[in-house]
C-alpha cells in the first residue's frame, strides 16, 4: 500500500490503514531530506478518492509523520466554509480530504504532488474535455486552482498530476467559465499608466482637429481677427 522512493534510501512504513473511504500511512522511520515519501493508493482507496498517489519531500528530517487521504461523500458533506466558497461554475468530479501530522510542517514540505484519475464516462456526461480538468485546493476562505497536467490516458480514464503547496480539502473538477479582465465603467478614467486603446474615436478626432488648427497659415488668422473686430464695430455703431 504505502512506501517511498526516489532521491535516496526507502522510508519504512510502520502501518497502513485502509478503509472504504481511503487510507492512512504512518512512517516509523524518519523521512530525511534525501528521500521522497510516497503513498501509493490501494485499489479500493484509489477508486473511492480518485487519487492514485501522493508524494512529497521534506526540508528537514521528520520523525513520526503520517498522512491520511479519504473521500468526502459529496460537496454537501464539506464544512460550510468550504462548501459555500466553491465557485458555481466548477463541475465537481470527486472531493477528498488530505490531512497530516503536525510534525509535517507545511512550510517544510518540498514539492508535494497529487496524482489522480478522472473517468472518461464522467467527462462525456458533463460535456467537458480532458484539458479542462484541474485540482482545486481549499485554503482559508477560497478554492485555489492548482497547476494540473495530463500525464496519460487509457480507454477508461485520464491520469493527472497536480502540484500543491500543502494539504487540505481538494476537488477534482472542470471549470466551465473563463475569467475575464474587468473593464473600466463608462466615464471612468483609465488606470494610471494605461493608454487609450488604438483606434479610440475621441482620441483620434481630437488629435486630427488639433493638427488641422496648428497647420492654418498666419494670414488666415489675421483675416479672421479683422473680420471679428469689424463685426463688433458694426453692431456697436448701429446701436448708437
Amino acid at each position: 500500500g504505502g512506501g517511498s522512493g526516489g532521491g535516496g534510501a526507502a522510508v519504512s512504513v510502520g502501518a497502513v490503514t485502509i478503509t472504504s473511504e481511503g487510507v492512512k500511512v504512518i512512517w516509523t522511520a524518519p523521512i530525511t531530506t534525501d528521500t521522497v515519501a510516497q503513498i501509493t493508493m490501494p485499489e479500493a482507496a484509489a477508486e473511492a478518492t480518485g487519487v492514485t498517489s501522493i508524494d512529497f519531500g521534506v526540508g528537514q528530517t521528520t520523525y513520526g509523520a503520517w498522512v491520511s487521504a479519504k473521500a468526502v461523500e459529496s460537496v454537501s458533506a464539506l464544512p460550510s466554509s468550504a462548501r459555500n466558497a466553491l465557485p458555481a461554475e466548477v463541475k465537481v468530479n470527486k472531493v477528498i480530504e488530505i490531512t497530516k501530522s503536525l510534525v509535517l510542517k507545511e512550510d517544510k514540505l518540498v514539492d508535494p504532488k497529487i496524482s489522480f484519475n478522472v473517468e472518461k464516462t464522467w467527462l462525456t456526461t458533463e460535456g467537458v474535455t480532458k484539458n479542462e480538468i484541474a485540482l482545486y485546493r481549499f485554503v482559508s476562505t477560497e478554492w485555489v486552482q492548482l497547476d494540473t497536467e495530463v500525464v496519460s490516458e487509457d480507454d477508461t480514464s485520464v491520469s493527472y498530476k497536480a502540484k500543491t503547496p500543502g494539504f487540505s480539502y481538494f476537488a477534482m473538477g472542470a471549470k466551465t467559465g473563463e475569467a475575464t479582465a474587468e473593464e473600466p465603467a463608462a466615464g471612468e478614467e483609465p488606470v494610471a499608466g494605461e493608454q487609450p486603446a488604438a483606434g479610440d474615436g475621441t482620441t483620434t478626432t481630437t488629435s486630427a482637429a488639433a493638427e488641422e488648427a496648428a497647420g492654418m497659415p498666419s494670414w488666415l488668422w489675421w483675416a479672421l481677427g479683422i473680420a471679428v473686430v469689424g463685426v463688433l464695430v458694426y453692431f456697436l455703431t448701429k446701436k448708437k
Side-chain angles (χ1 to χ4, degrees), residues 1 16-24 39-54 69-72 93-96 114-119 157-159 172:
V16 180
T17 304
I18 303 172
T19 68
S20 59
E21 297 178 329
V23 66
K24 180 177 181 179
I39 300 173
T40 302
M41 301 290 278
E43 186 176 352
E47 186 174 343
T49 62
V51 174
T52 55
S53 68
I54 302 167
K70 65 178 183 178
V72 177
N93 174 242
K94 282 186 170 67
V95 183
I96 60 172
I114 299 172
S115 298
F116 63 97
N117 289 341
V118 175
E119 298 294 323
S157 64
V158 183
S159 299
M172 304 163 197

Coordinates of all heavy atoms in Angstrom, one line a residue, residues 1 16-24 39-54 69-72 93-96 114-119 157-159 172:
G1 N 0.8 -1.2 0.0 CA 0.0 0.0 0.0 C 0.8 1.2 0.0 O 0.7 2.0 -0.9
V16 N -0.2 0.8 7.6 CA -1.1 1.3 6.6 C -2.5 0.9 6.9 O -2.8 -0.3 7.0 CB -0.7 0.8 5.2 CG1 -1.7 1.3 4.1 CG2 0.7 1.1 4.8
T17 N -3.4 1.9 7.2 CA -4.8 1.6 7.5 C -5.6 1.9 6.3 O -5.6 3.0 5.8 CB -5.3 2.5 8.7 OG1 -4.4 2.3 9.8 CG2 -6.7 2.1 9.0
I18 N -6.3 0.9 5.8 CA -7.1 1.0 4.6 C -8.6 0.9 5.0 O -9.0 0.0 5.7 CB -6.8 -0.1 3.6 CG1 -5.3 0.0 3.2 CG2 -7.6 0.1 2.3 CD1 -4.9 -1.2 2.3
T19 N -9.4 1.9 4.5 CA -10.8 1.8 4.8 C -11.6 2.0 3.4 O -10.9 2.2 2.4 CB -11.3 3.0 5.7 OG1 -11.1 4.2 5.0 CG2 -10.5 3.0 7.0
S20 N -12.9 1.9 3.5 CA -13.7 2.1 2.3 C -13.6 3.5 1.7 O -13.9 3.8 0.6 CB -15.1 1.7 2.5 OG -15.7 2.5 3.5
E21 N -13.1 4.5 2.6 CA -13.1 5.9 2.2 C -11.7 6.3 1.8 O -11.5 7.2 1.0 CB -13.5 6.8 3.4 CG -14.9 6.6 3.9 CD -15.2 7.4 5.1 OE1 -14.3 7.7 5.9 OE2 -16.4 7.9 5.2
G22 N -10.6 5.6 2.2 CA -9.3 6.0 1.9 C -8.2 5.2 2.6 O -8.4 4.0 2.9
V23 N -7.1 5.9 2.9 CA -6.0 5.3 3.5 C -5.3 6.2 4.5 O -5.3 7.4 4.3 CB -5.0 4.7 2.4 CG1 -4.4 5.9 1.7 CG2 -4.0 3.9 3.0
K24 N -4.6 5.6 5.5 CA -3.7 6.4 6.4 C -2.4 5.7 6.5 O -2.4 4.5 6.7 CB -4.4 6.6 7.8 CG -3.5 7.4 8.7 CD -4.1 7.6 10.1 CE -3.3 8.4 11.0 NZ -3.9 8.6 12.3
I39 N 2.9 7.8 -1.1 CA 1.8 6.9 -0.8 C 1.2 6.4 -2.1 O 0.7 7.2 -2.9 CB 0.7 7.6 0.0 CG1 1.3 8.2 1.3 CG2 -0.5 6.7 0.3 CD1 0.3 9.1 2.1
T40 N 1.3 5.2 -2.3 CA 0.6 4.6 -3.5 C -0.7 4.0 -3.0 O -0.8 3.1 -2.2 CB 1.5 3.4 -4.1 OG1 2.7 4.0 -4.5 CG2 0.8 2.8 -5.3
M41 N -1.8 4.6 -3.5 CA -3.1 4.2 -3.0 C -3.5 2.8 -3.4 O -3.4 2.4 -4.6 CB -4.2 5.2 -3.5 CG -3.9 6.7 -3.2 SD -4.1 7.0 -1.4 CE -5.9 7.2 -1.4
P42 N -4.0 2.0 -2.4 CA -4.6 0.7 -2.7 C -5.8 0.9 -3.7 O -6.4 1.9 -3.7 CB -5.0 0.1 -1.4 CG -4.2 0.9 -0.4 CD -4.1 2.3 -1.0
E43 N -6.1 -0.2 -4.4 CA -7.1 -0.1 -5.4 C -8.5 0.5 -4.9 O -9.1 1.3 -5.5 CB -7.4 -1.5 -6.1 CG -8.3 -1.4 -7.3 CD -8.4 -2.8 -7.9 OE1 -7.7 -3.7 -7.6 OE2 -9.3 -2.9 -8.8
A44 N -8.9 0.0 -3.8 CA -10.2 0.4 -3.2 C -10.2 1.9 -2.9 O -11.1 2.6 -3.1 CB -10.6 -0.4 -2.0
A45 N -9.1 2.3 -2.2 CA -8.9 3.7 -1.9 C -8.8 4.6 -3.1 O -9.4 5.7 -3.1 CB -7.7 3.9 -1.0
A46 N -8.1 4.1 -4.1 CA -8.0 4.9 -5.3 C -9.3 5.1 -6.0 O -9.6 6.1 -6.6 CB -7.0 4.2 -6.3
E47 N -10.1 4.0 -6.0 CA -11.5 4.1 -6.6 C -12.4 5.1 -5.8 O -13.1 5.8 -6.4 CB -12.1 2.7 -6.6 CG -13.4 2.7 -7.4 CD -14.0 1.3 -7.5 OE1 -13.2 0.3 -7.3 OE2 -15.2 1.2 -7.8
A48 N -12.3 5.1 -4.5 CA -13.1 5.9 -3.7 C -12.7 7.4 -3.8 O -13.6 8.3 -3.9 CB -13.0 5.5 -2.2
T49 N -11.4 7.7 -3.8 CA -10.9 9.0 -3.8 C -10.6 9.6 -5.2 O -10.6 10.8 -5.3 CB -9.6 9.1 -2.9 OG1 -8.6 8.3 -3.5 CG2 -9.9 8.7 -1.5
G50 N -10.3 8.7 -6.1 CA -9.8 9.2 -7.4 C -8.3 9.4 -7.4 O -7.6 9.5 -8.4
V51 N -7.7 9.4 -6.2 CA -6.2 9.7 -6.0 C -5.5 8.3 -6.2 O -5.9 7.3 -5.7 CB -5.9 10.3 -4.7 CG1 -4.4 10.4 -4.4 CG2 -6.6 11.6 -4.5
T52 N -4.4 8.4 -7.0 CA -3.6 7.2 -7.2 C -2.3 7.2 -6.4 O -1.8 6.2 -6.0 CB -3.2 7.0 -8.7 OG1 -2.6 8.2 -9.2 CG2 -4.5 6.7 -9.5
S53 N -1.8 8.4 -6.1 CA -0.6 8.5 -5.3 C -0.4 10.0 -4.8 O -0.9 10.9 -5.4 CB 0.7 8.1 -6.1 OG 1.0 9.0 -7.1
I54 N 0.3 10.1 -3.7 CA 0.7 11.3 -3.1 C 2.2 11.3 -2.8 O 2.6 10.3 -2.2 CB -0.1 11.6 -1.8 CG1 -1.6 11.6 -2.0 CG2 0.3 12.9 -1.2 CD1 -2.4 11.5 -0.8
A69 N -5.6 10.2 3.5 CA -6.3 10.7 2.4 C -7.6 9.9 2.3 O -7.7 8.7 2.3 CB -5.5 10.5 1.1
K70 N -8.7 10.6 2.3 CA -10.0 10.0 2.3 C -11.0 10.7 1.4 O -10.9 12.0 1.3 CB -10.6 9.8 3.7 CG -10.9 11.1 4.4 CD -11.6 10.8 5.8 CE -12.0 12.1 6.5 NZ -12.6 11.8 7.8
A71 N -12.0 10.0 0.9 CA -13.0 10.6 0.1 C -14.0 11.4 1.0 O -14.4 11.0 2.1 CB -13.7 9.5 -0.7
V72 N -14.5 12.5 0.4 CA -15.6 13.2 1.0 C -16.8 12.8 0.2 O -16.8 12.9 -1.1 CB -15.4 14.7 1.0 CG1 -16.6 15.5 1.6 CG2 -14.2 15.1 1.8
N93 N -16.0 16.5 -9.8 CA -16.0 15.0 -10.0 C -15.9 14.3 -8.7 O -16.8 13.5 -8.4 CB -14.8 14.7 -10.9 CG -14.6 13.2 -11.1 OD1 -13.5 12.6 -10.7 ND2 -15.5 12.5 -11.6
K94 N -14.9 14.6 -7.9 CA -14.7 14.0 -6.6 C -14.1 15.0 -5.6 O -13.5 16.0 -6.0 CB -13.8 12.8 -6.6 CG -14.4 11.5 -7.2 CD -13.4 10.3 -7.1 CE -14.1 9.0 -7.4 NZ -14.5 8.8 -8.8
V95 N -14.4 14.8 -4.4 CA -13.9 15.7 -3.3 C -13.2 14.8 -2.3 O -13.6 13.7 -1.9 CB -15.0 16.5 -2.6 CG1 -14.4 17.4 -1.5 CG2 -15.9 17.2 -3.6
I96 N -12.0 15.2 -1.9 CA -11.2 14.5 -1.0 C -10.6 15.4 0.1 O -10.6 16.6 0.0 CB -10.0 13.7 -1.7 CG1 -9.1 14.8 -2.3 CG2 -10.5 12.7 -2.7 CD1 -7.8 14.2 -2.9
I114 N 0.1 15.5 -6.2 CA -1.1 14.5 -6.1 C -1.4 14.0 -7.5 O -1.6 14.8 -8.4 CB -2.3 15.2 -5.5 CG1 -2.0 15.7 -4.0 CG2 -3.5 14.3 -5.4 CD1 -3.1 16.6 -3.4
S115 N -1.4 12.7 -7.6 CA -1.8 12.1 -8.9 C -3.2 11.5 -8.8 O -3.6 10.9 -7.7 CB -0.8 11.0 -9.3 OG 0.5 11.5 -9.4
F116 N -4.0 11.7 -9.8 CA -5.4 11.3 -9.7 C -5.9 10.9 -11.1 O -5.4 11.3 -12.1 CB -6.3 12.4 -9.0 CG -6.4 13.7 -9.8 CD1 -7.4 13.9 -10.6 CD2 -5.4 14.6 -9.6 CE1 -7.5 15.1 -11.3 CE2 -5.5 15.9 -10.3 CZ -6.5 16.1 -11.2
N117 N -7.0 10.2 -11.1 CA -7.7 9.8 -12.3 C -9.1 10.4 -12.4 O -9.8 10.5 -11.4 CB -7.8 8.3 -12.4 CG -6.4 7.6 -12.7 OD1 -5.5 8.3 -13.1 ND2 -6.4 6.3 -12.4
V118 N -9.5 10.6 -13.6 CA -10.9 11.0 -13.9 C -11.5 10.1 -15.0 O -10.8 9.9 -16.0 CB -11.1 12.5 -14.3 CG1 -12.5 12.8 -14.7 CG2 -10.6 13.4 -13.2
E119 N -12.6 9.5 -14.7 CA -13.2 8.6 -15.6 C -13.7 9.3 -16.9 O -14.3 10.4 -16.8 CB -14.4 7.8 -15.0 CG -14.0 7.0 -13.8 CD -13.2 5.8 -14.2 OE1 -13.4 5.2 -15.3 OE2 -12.2 5.5 -13.4
S157 N -10.0 6.1 -18.5 CA -9.7 7.2 -17.7 C -8.5 8.0 -18.1 O -7.7 7.6 -19.0 CB -9.5 6.8 -16.2 OG -8.3 6.0 -16.1
V158 N -8.5 9.3 -17.6 CA -7.3 10.2 -17.9 C -6.6 10.4 -16.5 O -7.2 10.6 -15.5 CB -7.8 11.5 -18.4 CG1 -6.6 12.4 -18.8 CG2 -8.7 11.3 -19.6
S159 N -5.3 10.3 -16.6 CA -4.5 10.5 -15.4 C -3.9 11.9 -15.3 O -3.4 12.3 -16.4 CB -3.3 9.4 -15.3 OG -3.9 8.1 -15.3
M172 N -11.6 17.6 -7.5 CA -11.3 17.4 -8.9 C -12.5 17.9 -9.7 O -13.6 17.4 -9.5 CB -11.0 15.9 -9.1 CG -10.0 15.3 -8.2 SD -10.1 13.5 -8.2 CE -9.2 13.1 -6.7

